[in-house]
Amino acid sequence: MEHLVRTALVVVASLSIVFTASWAQQGSSQNQTPAGVRVMITSDRVAGFADHTTMMLGLFDTSGLVVTRERFLAPGSRRDPLPALVAPARRPADGADFPGAKEPVVMLEVDGLAVAYPLGALIYHAVINDTIGDTPVAIWYDPISGGLAAFRRDVPARRAISGAETPREFRLSGLLLHGSSVLYDRGTKSLFSPLEGRGLSGPFADARLDSLPFRVLSFDEFRAIRRAGEVVARPMGTTFDYSVNPYAEFQLDPGIVYMQVTNDQRTHPKASGVGIASPTPERNAFFVPLTALDKGDRSFMTDAGSVVVGLTPEGTVVIKECPPGVTVAQTYFANWVSAHPTSSLAVSVDVRDLPISQPR
């Protein structure tokens, strides 16, 4: 049984599953769930969380909020439902016994140093705040939206505050937006959306998060290509079993979505892919299903520069180039287009780099 769970973790964490459940291609209607798809948090349940959501928002600096308060949801959660990691211990990857050789890691390569972040640790901690060389970084993972992103922690404040030059320490707020987790900055209690790629409130309202290139691969493959790299050590003082993915059943079932966040039915709501949004996303925003990456790298031009995405030999995602100011995340289609409704859907075509499907 343990072997099966560990195998499920690798399959799910690679985020390369092709979903085949039925999903209408057109003719969407408001609040109508397509046949064959079950919603866990239905609209009546959402209404029942209103008072708790209001209470949760009161824990943060919501001044200058850039989205309406009604768009947030706190489904019975509390602040810091999972403990974020801060400056985790790292060790040489060569010879490390954590994670397992076949288990997935997220690789960041910054300032000439490659660091592997085990997805098993991200499942239980949601955010890892680290510094690679001189660059403060954060890695975020959200199992219910399939969300995975890496970005710089030295976010420029939009208004004067004490300690504005200090890198932010990101934690899990307990709030959802677009059906995906919202982060907060420990110092200012400002809210941030990794999927929107920006601050949502406080002195960081509408401040951009600079995404970083990343790669998902097995720990074995990481050691093969970056022998001198480092890996985050097993976190101490926890009771978590980092080899078990408690979300595996949900992630492996295309017939279940957590909540309905969009009526856009151009593809299945849990189709996994890469979302790309420029600093002015109404001009350049894309969703690239993993199935559109099966023939090689693709380059997408934004008003800040080109983003290059592809698949590794293991069939997992690699973000090869990402200019400052551009938001890049791996996630499910429904969650991405909820955050970026003007996104074009990129498909496998002969003329590459041209998104050809516009939102209805």
Side-chain angles (χ1 to χ4, degrees), residues 36-271:
V37 177
R38 178 166 63 89
V39 179
M40 295 176 64
I41 304 295
T42 56
S43 56
D44 57 329
R45 292 189 66 193
V46 168
F49 293 126
D51 289 344
H52 184 66
T53 301
T54 299
M55 183 276 291
M56 287 291 292
L57 282 168
L59 301 177
F60 305 100
D61 181 353
T62 55
S63 62
L65 200 60
V66 298
V67 297
T68 62
R69 298 174 72 92
E70 292 73 25
R71 300 199 66 182
F72 291 94
L73 177 69
S77 53
R78 58 183 175 83
R79 188 167 68 186
D80 297 308
L82 294 173
L85 292 181
V86 180
R90 301 199 304 249
R91 62 183 57 183
D94 192 17
D97 58 3
F98 175 80
K102 300 302 180 184
E103 293 189 19
V105 299
V106 181
M107 182 181 90
L108 265 63
E109 197 161 15
V110 182
D111 297 338
L113 177 63
V115 180
Y117 297 89
L119 205 86
L122 281 163
I123 285 173
Y124 288 95
H125 295 280
V127 191
I128 298 178
N129 298 270
D130 201 6
T131 302
I132 304 178
D134 295 324
T135 304
V137 303
I139 303 88
W140 162 78
Y141 178 60
D142 176 38
I144 66 170
S145 66
L148 175 63
F151 45 89
R152 296 180 64 111
R153 293 191 294 116
D154 48 352
V155 187
R158 296 301 297 269
R159 67 170 189 256
I161 58 168
S162 175
E165 70 286 349
T166 304
R168 301 298 103 195
E169 181 182 311
F170 292 103
R171 293 171 173 254
L172 208 56
S173 70
L175 293 161
L176 300 179
L177 180 67
H178 313 300
S180 186
S181 56
V182 175
L183 305 181
Y184 77 96
D185 164 39
R186 182 187 180 189
T188 64
K189 301 300 188 291
S190 302
L191 297 171
F192 287 81
S193 169
L195 281 191
E196 290 198 13
R198 62 173 177 167
L200 301 174
S201 69
F204 294 94
D206 215 26
R208 304 301 305 180
L209 295 174
D210 281 342
S211 293
L212 294 169
F214 66 85
R215 178 177 183 142
V216 181
L217 69 172
S218 70
F219 187 41
D220 242 1
E221 180 64 16
F222 173 81
R223 286 185 291 201
I225 65 173
R226 296 293 185 271
R227 180 63 66 178
E230 296 180 351
V231 61
V232 167
R234 183 188 300 274
M236 304 299 291
T238 79
T239 59
F240 298 134
D241 184 348
Y242 294 109
S243 69
V244 174
N245 178 9
Y247 303 93
E249 183 176 355
F250 166 77
Q251 292 174 314
L252 288 167
D253 189 345
I256 303 176
V257 297
Y258 187 72
M259 58 188 295
Q260 186 172 354
V261 292
T262 180
N263 291 304
D264 190 328
Q265 299 182 21
R266 286 175 288 162
T267 190
H268 193 281
K270 280 175 82 173

Side-chain angles (χ1 to χ4, degrees), residues 244-306:
V244 174
N245 178 9
Y247 303 93
E249 183 176 355
F250 166 77
Q251 292 174 314
L252 288 167
D253 189 345
I256 303 176
V257 297
Y258 187 72
M259 58 188 295
Q260 186 172 354
V261 292
T262 180
N263 291 304
D264 190 328
Q265 299 182 21
R266 286 175 288 162
T267 190
H268 193 281
K270 280 175 82 173
S272 188
V274 177
I276 301 167
S278 74
T280 52
E282 65 277 6
R283 293 177 55 191
N284 301 118
F286 314 95
F287 183 80
V288 192
L290 298 194
T291 52
L293 297 173
D294 60 354
K295 294 183 179 179
D297 296 348
R298 297 193 67 173
S299 175
F300 293 87
M301 183 57 64
T302 75
D303 53 6
S306 180

